[in-house]
Amino acid sequence: MIIAIDGPAASGKGTLGKMLAAHYGLRHLDTGLIYRAVAKALIDAGNRPDDETAAVAAARALDPAQFDETTLKTHQIGEAASVVSALPAVRAALLAFQRDFAARPPGAVLDGRDIGTVICPHADVKIYVTAAPEVRARRRAAEYRAQGKIVDEAEVLADIRRRDARDSTRLAAPLKQAPDAHLLDTTNMDISTAVRAAIDIVEAIRAGRGRG
Ligand code: DC
C-alpha cells in the first residue's frame, strides 16, 4: 500500500505520516527532508539556494542515510528549501529516488507537497492535510519554545504565509490538493484525533476496495 500525504508547512503531515507508517507497518519518507538536505548542502558550500547547477549536483550527491533531522529542521534551512524546491531540474533529479522508495515492498507513506499529484499519482490513499495558518503558526511556535528558542508568533505566522504562497504558486509541481485526495482539516484536532481521522480515511478506502 502507498499512502500519499500532502499539505502546507506545519500542517502536521510529518507526524501523521510517521504515525500512519507505524500503524500499518509501512516505510516512511518525509520528502521535505530531501529538499532541506539539498538546501543545506548549498548553504554549507557557500552557494545561493537558487543556483540551479549547484543544486542539481547536490541533489544527485544526496545520501538519505546521512540525513540528520535536527540539523535539517531549522527555520533557515526550511526557507532555503522552499526556494531550492521551486527549481524544476532539482525536482526532476529527486523524482526517481522518491518513486523507488514508494515502490519497494511492503509499501510506504510519503509526505510532502506533490506526492499525490506528481510522485505517486496512483497512490492507494491520498490525504491532503491542512489547518488554518494561525493554528499552524501556534503549533510551530510551541515546537520552537519546547526547543528553548525565543519565538515571535506573529513572525512565525508571516513566515508560514510566505512559504504557503511560494510553495503553491511556483510553476514546478505546486502544492495543491489532488482531485482524488481526501481533505483532512486539523484546525480543531489534536494529533491523536488527526491520526484517528487519517486511519478512518484509509480504512474507508480499503473497505470500499474490498466490496468492489
Ligand atoms: O515540509 P517541509 O517544511 O520540510 O518542506 C521544506 C520545503 O521543501 C517546502 O517549503 C517545500 C519543499 N517541498 C517540496 O517542494 N516538495 C515536497 N514533496 C516536499 C517539500
Side-chain angles (χ1 to χ4, degrees), residues 5-10 13-14 30-36 72-73 77-86 91 98 111-115 119 140 163-164 166-167 170 172-173 175:
I5 304 180
D6 290 301
K13 59 189 184 315
D30 171 351
T31 62
L33 286 181
I34 308 176
Y35 294 94
R36 284 172 181 267
L72 293 176
K73 289 258 169 167
I77 291 181
E79 283 293 308
S82 177
V83 174
V84 104
S85 65
R91 306 199 72 84
Q98 295 174 81
D111 67 78
R113 302 291 190 290
D114 63 338
I115 308 304
I119 306 293
R140 190 45 59 89
R163 196 117 78 83
D164 283 358
R166 199 189 290 132
D167 294 347
R170 69 183 181 212
L175 168 68

Side-chain angles (χ1 to χ4, degrees), residues 171-187:
L171 292 175
L175 168 68
K176 64 169 184 247
Q177 184 178 349
D180 53 348
H182 295 256
L183 180 67
L184 180 55
D185 185 335
T186 68
T187 301

Side-chain angles (χ1 to χ4, degrees), residues 50-138:
D50 59 354
D51 180 336
E52 190 161 73
T53 310
V56 169
R60 293 206 175 114
L62 278 190
D63 177 6
Q66 304 295 321
F67 287 176
D68 172 22
E69 254 192 63
T70 319
T71 47
L72 293 176
K73 289 258 169 167
T74 66
H75 172 68
Q76 184 208 13
I77 291 181
E79 283 293 308
S82 177
V83 174
V84 104
S85 65
L87 303 170
V90 173
R91 306 199 72 84
L94 297 170
L95 185 77
F97 169 75
Q98 295 174 81
R99 285 200 177 146
D100 290 349
F101 185 96
R104 247 174 289 139
V109 180
L110 281 80
D111 67 78
R113 302 291 190 290
D114 63 338
I115 308 304
T117 51
V118 176
I119 306 293
C120 300
H122 304 298
D124 302 281
V125 180
K126 297 183 187 179
I127 302 176
Y128 188 86
V129 191
T130 191
E134 294 78 6
V135 171
R136 288 186 277 132
R138 199 175 315 139

